[in-house]
């Protein structure tokens, strides 16, 4: 059983979308430590922004911190994305999971890390 909500996207389609999402959050191809400076840290305020305003499906991209072959991509509803984030990313406790969340048009992109930090990358 997976902790990730939604339908898993696999093979070529998943590879393409994951590559596009990574490009969207780091268009200048900077080192992670430098790229994070381009994002706005919002933590729990993410729920008060327009980043989760779309009612269309969202991509939920689990980015394994070490092994790329363990990356996973899901297509899920706004309701399930919000519930997943609230259950699995807690800035106060410093507890989280490495995920990227975006509507299918990539208009807003949320990046969470295993330290419970939540950023708006776009």
């Amino acid at each position: 059983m997976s902790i990730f909500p939604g339908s898993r996207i696999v093979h070529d389609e998943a590879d393409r979308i994951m590559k596009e999402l990574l490009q969207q959050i780091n268009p200048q191809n900077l080192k992670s430590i430098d790229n994070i400076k381009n994002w706005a840290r919002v933590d729990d305020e993410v729920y008060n922004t327009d980043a989760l305003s779309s009612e269309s499906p969202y991509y939920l991209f689990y980015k394994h911190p070490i092994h790329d072959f363990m990356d996973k991509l899901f297509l899920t509803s706004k309701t399930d994305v919000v519930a997943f984030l609230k259950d699995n990313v807690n800035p106060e406790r410093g507890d989280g999971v490495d995920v990227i969340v975006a509507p299918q048009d990539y208009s807003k992109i949320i990046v969470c890390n295993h330290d419970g930090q939540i950023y708006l990358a776009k």
Side-chain angles (χ1 to χ4, degrees), residues 24-25 38-40 51 105-110 119-122:
Q24 289 286 321
I25 66 170
N38 295 322
W39 304 342
D105 65 1
Y106 309 143
S107 58
K108 299 287 181 182
I109 301 179
I110 300 165
Y119 296 89
L120 288 181
K122 182 177 175 188

Side-chain angles (χ1 to χ4, degrees), residues 11 14 23 30 34 36 41 43 49 62 64-65 74 83 100 107 114 119:
H11 306 300
Q23 174 62 33
L30 301 172
D34 295 323
I36 203 168
R41 185 166 173 188
D43 292 339
T49 69
Y62 168 67
H64 191 276
F74 300 85
I100 300 168
S107 58
H114 57 267
Y119 296 89

Side-chain angles (χ1 to χ4, degrees), residues 45-65:
E45 287 300 309
V46 72
Y47 306 112
N48 300 322
T49 69
D50 65 348
L52 293 166
S53 62
S54 176
E55 295 299 326
S56 68
Y58 282 78
Y59 291 122
L60 177 65
F61 173 16
Y62 168 67
K63 181 71 180 122
H64 191 276

Side-chain angles (χ1 to χ4, degrees), residues 65-106:
I66 299 171
H67 304 294
D68 290 344
F69 71 90
M70 295 182 77
D71 293 352
K72 295 178 172 92
L73 181 68
F74 300 85
L75 186 63
T76 189
S77 69
K78 172 186 173 177
T79 302
D80 287 346
V81 162
V82 170
F84 174 84
L85 292 175
K86 287 183 176 182
D87 289 345
N88 293 282
V89 182
N90 188 316
E92 286 183 28
R93 286 193 323 252
D95 187 29
V97 63
D98 297 321
V99 293
I100 300 168
V101 174
Q104 290 178 290
D105 65 1
Y106 309 143

